[in-house]
Amino acid sequence: MKNNAPVVFAHHYIYKWFDSTAVRSTAKSDLNYTIYRLADVYLMYAEASNRAEGAPNTNATNYVNAIRARANLAPIGALSQSDFEHEVWLERYFELCFENKMWFDMIRTRKVHNDVTANWDDFVGHKTVWNATFTANQLLFPVPKQETDVNPNLLPNNPGF
């Protein structure tokens, strides 16, 4: 295959930019990392408004249903605040799974979707299908070295880093 030959895929995939400079010389590119997609914004709105108002509103439900309709899924009906929130988490889990948002959602919600039971488990103590167990240490991010170099009062770093 020559460098200028088109790439033909057998199936449809989420559209990604092809940065030939990054692939051929630098190995550094941010073109394949989307910041926000409309589905992400809809789901953020749905979750935030549900929390702020104490119950899902019409717009929040419509936004979730717009995402579900695109995937040929049945619309959701009237749900309690908790059930709606879990439905939004589930939509984020499946809709944004290839966009590096799952870890952020697990840290933010402190919940992990259990693919075996289809429930939401607590992050700390969750055992993955690969027999790894999440600990409280993994809820923390390290303080960047550049920051600790400038301000030694930030040391010791978060436990485990």
Side-chain angles (χ1 to χ4, degrees), residues 140-157:
L140 302 172
F141 293 103
V143 178
K145 180 156 177 30
Q146 181 178 357
E147 298 298 321
T148 59
D149 287 347
V150 173
N151 184 356
N153 291 331
L154 295 173
L155 294 172
N157 209 329

Side-chain angles (χ1 to χ4, degrees), residues 47-116:
E47 185 176 355
S49 67
N50 180 50
R51 278 286 180 108
E53 296 179 17
N57 63 32
T58 304
N59 282 340
T61 303
N62 289 343
Y63 288 159
V64 172
N65 284 334
I67 296 165
R68 292 178 63 82
R70 197 189 63 196
N72 295 321
L73 297 172
I76 60 171
L79 298 172
S80 68
Q81 180 184 19
S82 177
D83 289 344
F84 184 81
E85 182 173 65
H86 289 168
E87 185 62 37
V88 171
W89 291 353
L90 196 60
E91 289 299 322
R92 288 184 64 80
Y93 181 77
F94 288 111
E95 178 70 26
L96 307 173
C97 62
F98 296 111
E99 298 176 28
N100 300 319
K101 304 207 183 233
M102 191 179 303
W103 189 259
F104 169 76
D105 282 348
M106 291 189 308
I107 300 301
R108 179 178 64 85
T109 63
R110 296 193 173 351
K111 297 287 184 183
V112 178
H113 186 262
N114 186 323
D115 291 325
V116 176

Side-chain angles (χ1 to χ4, degrees), residues 29-56:
S29 174
D30 61 357
L31 291 179
N32 284 343
Y33 291 95
T34 55
I35 305 297
Y36 294 114
R37 282 194 305 118
L38 187 57
D40 193 9
V41 174
Y42 278 179
L43 293 169
M44 279 191 275
Y45 173 86
E47 185 176 355
S49 67
N50 180 50
R51 278 286 180 108
E53 296 179 17

